[in-house]
């Protein structure tokens, strides 16, 4: 285990496509989505137990979720929990963590990962991450993990790479954000496109250099108060800094613009678990193709995903290809093929019924 290895876990999102289970006050990263007795955040932290020292792991989250992080990860010091005053997408989040860690160790190599992804092949994942860290420590490169597509999914970003069998890491040719179905099918047929996992590996000097070149306004904001990081004045500075940061993703702001970005192909049993269908795909199913989490009796029901409170008996008859999800004060019943409307449902619930329902 290398003391120069640091892990940054991004845990500030709301997960609106997973409503009503994922709520503003309790997003999906804090839930035991897979029914394993641990939240997604906790399983993500465990994933890196053999990769970085425990003191080198940092969680970036919204200030409203600081207490939840502390409850679920009591082993973390306050300095390892980075509280964003407002959501500004992934670029300011990564800049904050990078500048903070650079103050602690200017030779740091970083792994940046969302808190709510699933990795089923832990041993393979560890090897892939270590390969990427070795490359990042040696060269000025920005690396993302690429997942071989299993279907023409329109919900993922795609990376086209230049295949060079002499190297594990492949030079990135193009990024494409969430293509339409026809384009996604073409990408699959071409054989040189992979899904963008949103898991990144780089040396802290390389990513700060990229910020300086491509998001200089973000660099200017954070460099102004860099000496306050890891001090009692940090939170006051960050509150001011975020008010000057625009909403921009790391993909759009940096990864799509730099010429030193590489992709490492990774067969790690990955899912971003961003939608109900993705949860359905990775879970075990009964003889009728149903995924069930709850106290449920089914009649003539198949190919459904059902997630309901265990203290409530749910009886279903005659459903096929549906999502049945209940959490707190909301029950949603929706066709699996129409799950893209979940964000619309959430917005309508807020406008028509109030914020208590989101």
């Amino acid at each position: 285990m290398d003391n120069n290895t640091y892990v940054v876990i991004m845990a500030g999102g709301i997960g609106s496509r997973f409503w009503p289970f994922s709520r503003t006050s309790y997003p999906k990263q804090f839930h035991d989505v897979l029914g394993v007795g641990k939240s997604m955040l906790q399983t993500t932290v465990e994933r890196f137990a053999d990769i970085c020292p425990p003191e080198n792991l940092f969680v970036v989250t919204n200030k409203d979720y600081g207490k939840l992080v502390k409850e679920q990860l009591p082993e973390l010091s306050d300095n390892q929990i980075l509280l964003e005053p407002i959501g500004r997408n992934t670029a300011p989040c990564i800049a904050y963590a990078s500048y903070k860690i650079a103050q602690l160790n200017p030779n740091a190599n970083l792994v940046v990962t969302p808190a709510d992804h699933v990795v089923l092949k832990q041993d393979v994942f560890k090897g892939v991450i270590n390969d990427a860290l070795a490359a990042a420590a040696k060269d000025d490169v920005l690396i993302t993990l690429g997942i071989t597509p299993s279907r023409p999914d329109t919900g993922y970003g795609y990376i086209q790479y230049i295949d060079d069998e002499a190297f594990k890491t492949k030079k990135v040719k193009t990024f494409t954000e969430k293509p339409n179905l026809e384009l996604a099918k073409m990408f699959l047929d071409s054989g040189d496109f992979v899904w963008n996992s949103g898991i990144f590996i780089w040396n802290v000097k390389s990513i700060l250099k990229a910020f300086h070149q491509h998001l200089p306004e973000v660099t200017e904001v954070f460099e102004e108060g860099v000496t306050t990081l890891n001090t009692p004045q940090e939170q006051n500075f960050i509150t001011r800094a975020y008010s000057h940061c625009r909403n921009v993703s790391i993909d759009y702001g940096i990864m799509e613009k730099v010429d030193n970005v590489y992709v490492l192909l990774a067969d790690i049993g990955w899912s971003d678990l961003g939608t109900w269908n993705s949860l359905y795909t990775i879970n075990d199913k009964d003889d009728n193709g149903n995924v069930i989490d709850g106290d449920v009796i089914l009649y003539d029901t198949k190919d459904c995903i059902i997630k309901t409170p265990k203290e409530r008996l749910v009886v279903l008859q005659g459903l096929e290809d549906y999502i049945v999800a209940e959490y707190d004060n909301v029950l949603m019943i929706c066709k699996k093929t129409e799950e893209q409307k979940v964000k619309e449902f959430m917005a309508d619930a807020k406008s028509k019924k109030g914020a208590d329902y989101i």
Side-chain angles (χ1 to χ4, degrees), residues 124-142:
V124 177
F125 175 77
K126 180 181 175 182
V128 168
I129 292 295
N130 284 331
D131 285 344
L133 284 166
K138 183 167 61 77
D139 297 312
D140 177 20
V141 292
L142 307 181

Side-chain angles (χ1 to χ4, degrees), residues 33-283:
V33 175
L34 298 176
V36 295
K38 298 169 186 174
S39 73
M40 301 207 71
L41 174 61
Q42 289 169 322
T43 56
T44 301
V45 169
E46 285 188 353
R47 192 173 301 143
F48 291 94
D50 296 329
I51 293 173
C52 86
E55 65 273 16
N56 288 9
L57 186 141
F58 292 81
V59 175
V60 190
T61 192
N62 187 281
K63 62 180 176 56
D64 294 337
Y65 307 142
K67 185 178 179 182
L68 280 172
V69 173
K70 196 68 176 175
E71 287 174 355
Q72 295 197 357
L73 303 172
E75 68 274 18
L76 295 190
S77 69
D78 290 343
N79 196 50
Q80 292 173 270
I81 303 173
L82 285 61
L83 302 178
E84 296 183 294
I86 47 178
R88 281 292 184 260
N89 216 315
T90 51
C93 164
I94 290 170
Y96 177 13
S98 299
Y99 274 101
K100 182 181 176 73
I101 291 169
Q103 289 296 100
L104 297 171
N105 183 347
N107 297 313
N109 300 305
L110 310 185
V111 182
V112 180
T113 180
D116 54 359
H117 287 190
V118 173
V119 172
L120 299 177
K121 301 178 181 179
Q122 176 61 36
D123 289 342
V124 177
F125 175 77
K126 180 181 175 182
V128 168
I129 292 295
N130 284 331
D131 285 344
L133 284 166
K138 183 167 61 77
D139 297 312
D140 177 20
V141 292
L142 307 181
I143 299 171
T144 182
L145 299 191
I147 310 299
T148 301
S150 58
R151 60 189 181 278
D153 199 303
T154 60
Y156 293 142
Y158 286 73
I159 298 171
Q160 184 182 25
Y161 61 90
I162 300 169
D163 197 5
D164 185 342
E165 294 183 0
F167 297 97
K168 289 184 178 180
T169 51
K170 315 292 185 182
K171 178 80 171 174
V172 169
K173 187 174 181 180
T174 61
F175 281 87
T176 304
E177 278 300 308
K178 298 180 180 178
N180 60 38
L181 184 59
E182 184 178 351
L183 198 54
K185 289 178 178 177
M186 290 174 58
F187 289 169
L188 236 67
D189 292 339
S190 75
D192 59 353
F193 281 83
V194 289
W195 287 334
N196 183 1
S197 70
I199 300 172
F200 307 106
I201 303 93
W202 44 55
N203 181 270
V204 72
K205 293 175 184 174
S206 296
I207 190 61
L208 292 183
K209 175 185 172 184
F211 270 106
H212 182 77
Q213 292 175 337
H214 299 284
L215 287 175
E217 70 277 18
V218 174
T219 296
E220 184 178 348
V221 166
F222 282 96
E223 287 189 348
E224 181 181 330
V226 71
T227 57
T228 70
L229 300 178
N230 304 297
T231 76
Q233 288 74 48
E234 176 177 322
Q235 199 60 52
N236 287 336
F237 163 67
I238 289 299
T239 299
R240 296 194 306 273
Y242 267 68
S243 67
H244 298 292
C245 286
R246 66 184 173 101
N247 188 308
V248 58
S249 72
I250 196 72
D251 287 325
Y252 178 79
I254 290 181
M255 301 300 280
E256 294 178 12
K257 297 174 180 176
V258 295
D259 59 5
N260 63 332
V261 59
Y262 288 77
V263 63
L264 182 56
L265 276 53
D267 180 13
I268 54 176
W270 173 90
S271 171
D272 74 340
L273 215 63
T275 64
W276 286 104
N277 257 318
S278 61
L279 181 60
Y280 177 83
T281 299
I282 69 166
N283 263 290

